[in-house]
Amino acid sequence: MSADTNGTDASRYVLITQCLQNDLFLNSGCRLKLPDTVVPQMLVGNDDFDLRAGGNGPDNARAEAIRNGPLGILLAATVGRAFDSNVPLHVINIRDWHVPGDTYDAERRAYGAHCERGTWGVGYVEGLEPWLDPTRASDLADYAERGGARIYHLRSDSVFDFRPRIEHRGDTRKFRSSELEDILDVLVQGSDQHLEKLRTLLSEGDHSAVDKLAREIDSRGTPQTEATVYVVVIGVYTDIKVQTLLVGLRTRYDLPNLGVSDTFTASATLERHLAGLDYAVRVLDVEVIHGVNDLVRFLGLPPPLEDESPVVARMNYARYRSFFQDKQNVLAFQDEKLRQYVALTERRSLEVYERIKRANTFLIWFGCTFLGATLVFAVLKELWPDRFGGWQIVAITGGVGLLQLVTAFISKPVRDLQQNLTNLAVFKMILESHSLKTALARFHLPTPHTLRDLQTETEKGVAAAQIDVLRQQVLAIQEFDSADFGDLAKLARAFGEDGVDGAPTNDATPKSLVETQAAAPPD
């Protein structure tokens, strides 16, 4: 698309920003702030500016760095250009916005204080205000416009932006339409005359009339315009707020051109970020747009950068598109192999364990009975020496060999039971570790990079790098194994040295397997 296209094809362009606020990007005292490894990628790109240097408050140098970063460049190329044009660009800024009350108290207890009215943290990310809030009127302003830019300020008090704020919900079980839905009803379905009426009503602050206008358009059953609508979402969190917003858009409106940016969305971790984008693509059929230039084109404007690689730091989602499928394949293979191993060994292990348990139980009871009988006859001998004189030798033998009898009939069976349980745990750990290593090997080795005929140094390097990744992963698994086996070895030694009556460790038991695994160097 080109700038001319934006003005001649009767298309409508809507940019929705989600929670571009100081608390979530810059306030280190806020528990909901994105990690320091994530924030610079969105705000300053490849620049090495330290965003933490300004502290929790306004900082001119930081604001300047953010204005010159990728997000600032995007807003300047879209909203900034609309300032000097008569072609409309609709910008819906959704902010998390809280005032004291029961609803906020519940969130505050769960996530800490955040986005409170009147604080620096609730404001737009510093440096981006010239585009997100060009008039700088009141913090309660709902609408602003400059040139072709029409900016709608919406305040949400929950994860669900299509749910009205608490003061507008009433006592009914079905929520009335929210401010977001009212505005989108007009933008998506209304005629040009409806758009002009919306401008007038919002400028006058007549929200009830806006709701009536939206309901009037909605009640007609068919769109009052043939304009193609392009909607794109940026902001945070990808897997929570952004995903919920996209679900609301997809379930309420027929939007063939609905997009989300992978460069200007983020979550607490890369995996959560990818999970949100993966859901958007596979379930919601949302287009993922990478970088600055493609996003500007999506909004009907010419790209601002000849080469965006020095600016854009985020990786393209397309490179991670198969991440979750690959992850599931590895885990599924591991689970399948583990089930096979367990099926082969579980029955025999249980039979051996039950046999040892029955034998040891018999020995323990037999030993206790024998010792008890010996003690009883010894007592009877003392009471009636004439009648039980024949048992004197038995009593003396039992008394002299008491320690040996305890060791033979009680201590050793208990140690054998404990050792059997330890060996079963070790066996299960070995099977789990082996199945995971096998799954990783099957994932890394049978690839086009490693199986092809290697003819150049570059191809050899790529294949070697693939194998090196596998080697590092296997070594990491073996480090975990060594730590676990070491703990089991300590447990086995504790039972051998400090167990029943201080009995010595029985070297004939399979305990040596634990110690061997703990002491063995990585392969």
Side-chain angles (χ1 to χ4, degrees), residues 237-296:
Y237 278 73
T238 317
D239 59 325
I240 303 176
K241 290 284 284 184
V242 172
Q243 179 175 304
T244 305
L245 175 60
L246 290 172
V247 170
L249 291 170
R250 181 56 81 202
T251 54
R252 282 172 172 81
Y253 304 102
D254 181 13
L255 295 171
N257 300 291
L258 176 59
V260 63
S261 170
D262 65 348
T263 306
F264 300 108
T265 52
S267 284
T269 64
L270 176 61
E271 185 163 347
R272 286 178 54 181
H273 173 64
L274 294 175
L277 295 175
D278 190 70
Y279 184 88
V281 171
R282 300 182 189 278
V283 179
L284 303 178
D285 192 26
V286 174
E287 179 181 355
V288 176
I289 306 167
H290 178 70
V292 176
N293 288 341
D294 285 346
L295 188 54
V296 175

Side-chain angles (χ1 to χ4, degrees), residues 1-2 70-71 73-78 81 232 261-264 287-312:
M1 299 177 197
S2 65
L71 188 50
I73 293 174
L74 170 72
L75 295 177
T78 53
R81 281 180 180 162
V232 67
S261 170
D262 65 348
T263 306
F264 300 108
E287 179 181 355
V288 176
I289 306 167
H290 178 70
V292 176
N293 288 341
D294 285 346
L295 188 54
V296 175
R297 290 189 186 98
F298 187 88
L299 292 173
L301 294 163
L305 301 172
E306 292 186 5
D307 180 13
E308 61 181 24
S309 58
V311 176
V312 176

Side-chain angles (χ1 to χ4, degrees), residues 133-199:
D133 188 14
T135 60
R136 305 283 184 92
S138 165
D139 62 352
L140 293 178
D142 299 310
Y143 178 73
E145 65 176 70
R146 179 176 169 185
R150 301 179 183 181
I151 300 175
Y152 309 86
H153 302 289
L154 303 182
R155 289 166 285 275
S156 176
D157 62 356
S158 71
V159 173
F160 309 101
D161 300 319
F162 280 99
R163 187 168 71 182
R165 288 184 60 84
I166 185 66
E167 59 265 25
H168 298 147
R169 292 176 196 170
D171 297 327
T172 61
R173 291 192 173 182
K174 181 179 180 180
F175 297 133
R176 53 145 287 190
S177 59
S178 64
E179 293 179 77
L180 174 60
E181 186 170 354
D182 287 342
I183 291 172
L184 286 171
D185 281 348
V186 180
L187 297 183
V188 174
Q189 302 183 108
S191 64
D192 291 342
Q193 290 74 22
H194 290 134
L195 292 183
E196 291 303 314
K197 188 174 182 179
L198 176 65
R199 292 176 61 191

Side-chain angles (χ1 to χ4, degrees), residues 362-381:
F362 170 77
L363 288 175
I364 291 172
W365 280 106
F366 179 79
C368 291
T369 302
F370 185 78
L371 290 174
T374 302
L375 293 175
V376 168
F377 282 112
V379 172
L380 292 176
K381 173 65 177 69

Side-chain angles (χ1 to χ4, degrees), residues 351-370:
E351 289 177 352
V352 172
Y353 174 74
E354 288 297 328
R355 187 178 301 115
I356 294 175
K357 179 181 177 181
R358 288 193 296 269
N360 287 336
T361 301
F362 170 77
L363 288 175
I364 291 172
W365 280 106
F366 179 79
C368 291
T369 302
F370 185 78

